[in-house]
């Protein structure tokens, strides 16, 4: 493979890693393999540290295709904990409120989800990279009142093509869904909105990106295997 001229590599991002962590590891391994000090490497579509799955990494001149690649339709499998919320809408922050769930049934879920299909508006999370007055929202939220920051965020138009219930555990009040959506969709924010639609609360407890465009997670490399392969080629 000609990494300097440009290659597109697809990885299954590990849990707790940032997208930047994975890119840095790939860059380090490739620079060592090629015997160069610098190599342009970037990713198409950030994944939160608590999410796993498809992360497309571009090298060399292929980095010019990042905008094109991250604009592709994405698919996620997400598990929501109903009845409680966190400031970050996921497990990054501790639970800040709990709500009744006795009224939530599979029937109510099936009635509520269709409102999130098609072209919708979504307010991004306060703990996100969206900019507020030129500054990243998450930086402001960590310094002050996250609810105040969220009030300053403007809704964004996005498209949800498919929204399917994969499972509902009524005892644990956990809902697993499959989402096919456009660029810019925050699944954490979708969890928040579904919780509100169910007249309760919700936050994300697991998230896996299973597809970007035509690239499925089953086709993706494990970072450890890639580094081992590169190191063998370097010797």
């Amino acid at each position: 493979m000609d990494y300097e001229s440009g290659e597109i590599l697809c990885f299954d991002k590990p849990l707790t890693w940032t997208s930047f962590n994975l890119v840095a590891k790939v860059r380090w391994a490739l620079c060592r393999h090629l015997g160069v000090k610098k190599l342009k490497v970037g990713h198409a579509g950030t994944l939160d540290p608590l999410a796993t799955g498809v992360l497309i990494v571009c090298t060399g001149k292929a980095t010019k295709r990042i905008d094109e690649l991250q604009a592709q339709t994405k698919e996620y499998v997400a598990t929501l904990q109903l009845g409680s919320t966190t400031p970050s809408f996921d497990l990054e922050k501790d639970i800040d409120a709990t709500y009744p769930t006795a009224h939530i049934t599979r029937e109510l879920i099936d009635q509520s989800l269709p409102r999130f299909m098609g072209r919708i508006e979504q307010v991004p999370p306060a703990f996100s990279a969206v900019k507020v007055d030129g500054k990243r929202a998450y930086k402001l939220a960590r310094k002050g009142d996250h609810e105040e920051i969220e009030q300053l965020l403007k809704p964004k138009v996005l498209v949800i093509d498919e929204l399917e219930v994969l499972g509902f555990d009524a005892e644990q009040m956990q809902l697993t869904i499959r989402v096919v959506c456009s660029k810019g969709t925050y699944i954490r924010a979708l969890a928040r909105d579904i919780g509100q639609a169910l007249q309760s609360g919700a936050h994300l407890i697991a998230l896996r990106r299973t597809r970007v465009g035509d690239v499925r997670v089953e086709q993706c490399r494990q970072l450890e295997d890639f580094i081992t392969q590169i190191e063998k080629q370097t010797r």
Side-chain angles (χ1 to χ4, degrees), residues 78-85 89 103-104 108-117 120 122 160 162-165 168 175-179 186-204:
T79 300
L80 284 60
Q81 178 63 59
L82 306 179
S84 56
T85 57
F89 311 150
H103 65 285
I104 299 178
L108 179 61
I109 291 169
D110 289 341
Q111 291 169 11
S112 302
L113 291 190
R115 74 180 67 177
F116 299 104
M117 290 283 293
I120 66 170
Q122 182 187 79
I160 295 183
E162 298 179 45
L163 183 53
E164 174 190 7
V165 175
F168 174 53
L175 172 65
T176 300
I177 57 176
R178 182 180 69 89
V179 186
Y186 282 93
I187 307 299
R188 288 183 288 136
L190 180 62
R192 169 202 63 199
D193 296 341
I194 289 174
Q196 292 174 353
L198 294 172
Q199 298 181 326
S200 183
H203 66 280
L204 209 56

Side-chain angles (χ1 to χ4, degrees), residues 48-116:
D48 289 336
L50 296 179
T52 64
V54 182
L55 187 70
I56 297 178
V57 175
C58 300
T59 74
K61 294 178 181 178
T63 53
K64 294 179 180 178
R65 295 188 60 193
I66 284 178
D67 287 346
E68 166 202 339
L69 294 168
Q70 66 186 12
Q72 294 181 322
T73 298
K74 299 172 179 66
E75 178 187 74
Y76 297 89
V77 171
T79 300
L80 284 60
Q81 178 63 59
L82 306 179
S84 56
T85 57
T86 74
S88 59
F89 311 150
D90 64 6
L91 294 176
E92 181 185 343
K93 299 293 181 181
D94 294 333
I95 291 171
D96 60 358
T98 57
Y99 302 85
T101 58
H103 65 285
I104 299 178
T105 62
R106 175 59 192 266
E107 289 73 24
L108 179 61
I109 291 169
D110 289 341
Q111 291 169 11
S112 302
L113 291 190
R115 74 180 67 177
F116 299 104

